[in-house]
Amino acid sequence: MINVINKLKKEWFLVGMVIAIALATITPELGKSGGLIHLDKLTGIGVAIVFFLHGLGLSPSAIKAGVSNWRMHIYIQAATFIAYPLLWIIFGDLLLAYMPAALAFGFCYLFVLPSTISSSVTMTSVGKGNVPGAIFNASLSSILGIVITPLLIQAFMGFEGVELDLVASITSIAKLLLLPMILGQLARPFLLKFAERHKSVVSKIDKYVILLIVYNAFCDSVANGIWSSFSMQMLITSIAICAVVLLCMVHLIQWGARRCQFQLADEVAAVFCGTKKTLAAGIPMATVIFGSNPDLGMILLPIMLYHPIQIFYCAILASRYATQSEQVKTASSH
């Protein structure tokens, strides 16, 4: 019994993920976006704090190194905007043959979306990866996606009349990411020693934020009836496809990163930035691209399913990477 308790304490993050999902199925109205506790705003504050701490902890030379790593940048953007869309080119006809067109096009939409910002950077941080590189690529992906995503949708699906506000999107990214980072950099001379003294607490903040994001994501899924609006067979098939796509892409990107002889920190950033697909930007973009399409709910189903799956699996993967990173660091010090 004591061994079990000790094991659970060691894996508290994974246990917390399971608890967050269980709570979401019971209390979706509490944790959904715009719900009783406005968890979406709370997680936004949490993400800002995580980015502030990144800014606090990063030296200017580390930031410069992150921006200058062009091989990793090309690799990540190619994974997001070439490898994923290729899935539709290869399997699109098969999906259209075996499921409703709206749902099949939903997978097309999932494949052409840009990466997330907050969770990909946060996961990279948890996994002891290249945080400056992740910040640069997540931001670049979001900006490129504003143009590339509707262009690919138009090429694959033939929708027209796409009009997205580039300036507003860049501004929101800057507020979410760059402002806390800049404030962290400015506060570095004053707060760095304090943060280092309380490293045990500071290092866990990003994991707490991920737990809140997981709870919020699953609450949104439950509250939006994502588990009850479709037949069980269709739902299970969609979940299976999302899981298989994620697993295959994670291992493909890992394999490619090792073939390119990336350092472990760069591999971590490549995996989390290259496999993530944004729900936060995906839903607003969908309402613009597809307008008042009555099948919008079914089109959005794949990204609604993929989002919590990617958070859950990548959180587990991040913990494994963190352990691997510590082992590499320990081995190199001896």
Side-chain angles (χ1 to χ4, degrees):
M1 185 65 182
I2 294 175
N3 289 336
V4 173
I5 294 173
N6 289 335
K7 181 68 174 176
L8 291 176
K9 285 182 178 179
K10 187 178 179 181
E11 301 292 341
W12 68 270
F13 184 49
L14 180 57
V15 173
M17 296 274 285
V18 175
I19 292 172
I21 294 169
L23 283 175
T25 61
I26 302 169
T27 60
E29 295 299 320
L30 180 67
K32 71 176 184 179
S33 298
L36 294 175
I37 60 176
H38 295 280
L39 193 55
D40 50 323
K41 293 181 180 178
L42 185 60
T43 54
I45 294 170
V47 168
I49 292 172
V50 170
F51 287 151
F52 176 84
L53 293 173
H54 288 328
L56 188 66
L58 287 174
S59 65
S61 59
I63 296 174
K64 184 179 179 181
V67 172
S68 62
N69 194 345
W70 60 269
R71 287 176 68 246
M72 185 180 70
H73 305 330
I74 293 173
Y75 186 80
I76 291 173
Q77 300 309 319
T80 301
F81 294 118
I82 297 177
Y84 267 91
L86 274 174
L87 292 175
W88 176 255
I89 294 173
I90 296 169
F91 299 109
D93 289 341
L94 187 65
L95 292 173
L96 285 167
Y98 287 97
M99 61 178 55
L103 182 59
F105 284 137
F107 280 101
C108 175
Y109 184 60
L110 167 66
F111 297 154
V112 301
L113 281 172
S115 178
T116 61
I117 299 176
S118 56
S119 61
S120 58
V121 175
T122 307
M123 295 291 185
T124 301
S125 173
V126 173
K128 311 296 183 186
N130 185 339
V131 174
I135 290 170
F136 178 83
N137 278 282
S139 303
L140 179 62
S141 176
S142 296
I143 294 170
L144 292 175
I146 293 168
V147 177
I148 294 176
T149 295
L151 286 177
L152 288 175
I153 285 292
Q154 195 165 3
F156 293 154
M157 300 168 60
F159 284 88
E160 297 180 357
V162 176
E163 186 177 341
L164 297 174
D165 193 334
L166 181 63
V167 175
S169 297
I170 294 174
T171 302
S172 65
I173 291 170
K175 287 180 180 177
L176 175 72
L177 183 66
L178 295 180
L179 182 59
M181 278 288 298
I182 291 170
L183 291 175
Q185 279 286 293
L186 293 174
R188 183 178 166 85
F190 311 102
L191 296 178
L192 182 60
K193 290 183 179 179
F194 175 83
E196 288 176 344
R197 282 200 304 269
H198 299 85
K199 191 175 181 179
S200 60
V201 175
V202 171
S203 63
K204 293 179 182 176
I205 289 177
D206 48 8
K207 291 189 177 183
Y208 295 143
V209 172
I210 287 178
L211 290 178
L212 290 177
I213 292 172
V214 169
Y215 178 58
N216 179 223
F218 272 86
C219 282
D220 283 345
S221 297
V222 175
N224 289 329
I226 208 74
W227 311 112
S228 58
S229 299
F230 304 91
S231 69
M232 185 58 66
Q233 182 180 354
M234 189 187 302
L235 197 59
I236 292 172
T237 301
S238 298
I239 292 171
I241 292 173
C242 288
V244 169
V245 166
L246 177 63
L247 288 171
C248 289
M249 291 305 294
V250 164
H251 290 292
L252 179 64
I253 290 173
Q254 285 178 329
W255 175 82
R258 290 163 189 172
R259 289 297 296 268
C260 293
Q261 297 183 335
F262 284 178
Q263 293 182 354
L264 181 60
D266 291 346
E267 178 188 320
V268 174
V271 167
F272 293 132
C273 293
T275 60
K276 292 282 189 163
K277 293 294 181 179
T278 178
L279 177 66
I283 290 179
M285 287 173 69
T287 59
V288 174
I289 293 171
F290 304 112
S292 56
N293 191 316
D295 293 324
L296 184 61
M298 192 173 287
I299 292 171
L300 287 174
L301 177 63
I303 182 58
M304 290 289 288
L305 294 173
Y306 187 88
H307 182 68
I309 292 171
Q310 74 179 357
I311 290 176
F312 186 79
Y313 179 69
C314 288
I316 296 171
L317 196 59
S319 292
R320 291 177 182 172
Y321 268 130
T323 302
Q324 187 179 349
S325 179
E326 289 298 327
Q327 289 172 347
V328 170
K329 189 182 295 184
T330 302
S332 62
S333 64
H334 289 305

